[in-house]
Amino acid sequence: MQKRLIVSNQLLQIMLERLAQQLIENHHDFSNSVILGLQPRGVFVAERLQKILERITNKPIRTGRLDITFHRDDFRRRESPLTANATQIDFIIENQQVILVDDVLYTGRSVRAALDAMIAYGRPRKVELLVLIDRRYSRDLPIEATYVGQHVNSLSSQRVLVEWRTPETSEDNIWLITKTEEK
C-alpha cells in the first residue's frame, strides 16, 4: 500500500476556513439555512465547519447528522450487513436551504441516498452539496458539488482517506491510497 499526502494539516485548515467563508457569502446569517453531515464521515466535516461558522458569525448554526444506510442502492447487495448510524436532526428542514456535507464525492451514490433520506424530514427550498474532496471523472450519477475543498484526479483502484486528529494520529490529513501489487 502506498500512501501519498494530498492535503496537509495546514492546508486542510485553510480549506475549511475558505469553505466557511463561501458558505457565509451565500447564506449570510444562516437564518434560513441548515447543515446536514452525512453519517459517518461527513459529520466530522460538518462539525468542523459549524465551529468555524459560529466563531465567525457569532451565531448558532443548525447542524444535524443524516444516516443514509437504508437508502443506499447497494444495501441488500453486500455480503456483510451495514450498520446504521443515528440520524440526529433537531430542527425542521421544510423550506430551508440545506447544505449536505460529506468528506469525499466519488460515484455520487451516497449523495443520491442522502437526498432520499432527507426528504423524510421535509421538503427543503434548496439543496447544496459541500465536499472536502471531489474525485473527478468517477461519477456513476450526474451529481456535482456546490462547494469543493479540492478536486483530485484519481484511479478507481485508489481511494481517498480523510484522517482526523485522534489519539492515534497527531494531525488532520488527506491521503491518496494506492494498493500495490504483491510480488
Side-chain angles (χ1 to χ4, degrees):
M1 180 174 71
Q2 192 178 35
K3 234 173 135 176
R4 184 169 60 94
L5 184 65
I6 55 175
V7 178
S8 67
N9 180 56
Q10 183 181 11
L11 182 57
L12 184 53
Q13 302 319 311
I14 293 168
M15 190 185 293
L16 288 167
E17 291 282 340
R18 175 178 51 82
L19 290 167
Q21 292 293 343
Q22 288 176 313
L23 289 172
I24 291 168
E25 196 173 302
N26 292 330
H27 295 271
H28 310 290
D29 65 355
F30 279 80
S31 58
N32 296 311
S33 302
V34 299
I35 296 173
L36 292 180
L38 275 58
Q39 285 278 27
R41 294 174 306 275
V43 171
F44 296 113
V45 182
E47 289 174 350
R48 290 285 181 96
L49 283 169
Q50 179 187 21
K51 287 178 187 173
I52 294 168
L53 289 166
E54 287 178 345
R55 184 191 78 225
I56 295 170
T57 64
N58 225 7
K59 294 183 179 197
I61 305 298
R62 293 175 295 167
T63 304
R65 299 170 175 214
L66 182 65
D67 181 58
I68 62 169
T69 304
F70 301 118
H71 297 274
R72 293 176 56 107
D73 58 7
D74 64 349
F75 176 67
R76 287 181 174 48
R77 296 176 183 217
R78 293 180 172 245
E79 290 180 23
S80 60
L82 291 172
T83 304
N85 293 289
T87 290
Q88 181 184 352
I89 302 175
D90 302 329
F91 43 81
I92 304 296
I93 67 168
E94 187 75 32
N95 207 30
Q96 295 290 302
Q97 295 182 75
V98 175
I99 304 140
L100 294 176
V101 177
D102 207 0
D103 60 346
V104 179
L105 175 57
Y106 182 36
T107 63
R109 291 181 181 278
S110 292
V111 176
R112 190 221 39 89
L115 292 168
D116 286 351
M118 177 187 62
I119 294 304
Y121 296 91
R123 183 174 183 253
R125 179 170 9 130
K126 182 179 182 180
V127 179
E128 296 178 329
L129 175 62
L130 180 147
V131 296
L132 286 181
I133 300 294
D134 179 356
R135 290 183 66 174
R136 295 197 284 200
Y137 317 119
S138 60
R139 289 303 173 274
D140 291 345
L141 302 170
I143 291 177
E144 186 177 339
T146 316
Y147 308 96
V148 176
Q150 184 171 312
H151 294 277
V152 173
N153 297 328
S154 61
L155 303 171
S156 58
S157 60
Q158 296 173 314
R159 72 182 187 96
V160 174
L161 172 66
V162 179
E163 195 174 67
W164 298 105
R165 183 175 34 248
T166 65
E168 292 82 37
T169 58
S170 60
E171 299 183 320
D172 300 330
N173 291 303
I174 302 178
W175 302 88
L176 185 63
I177 310 288
T178 305
K179 292 181 182 176
T180 53
E181 293 182 23
E182 295 180 25
K183 295 181 181 181

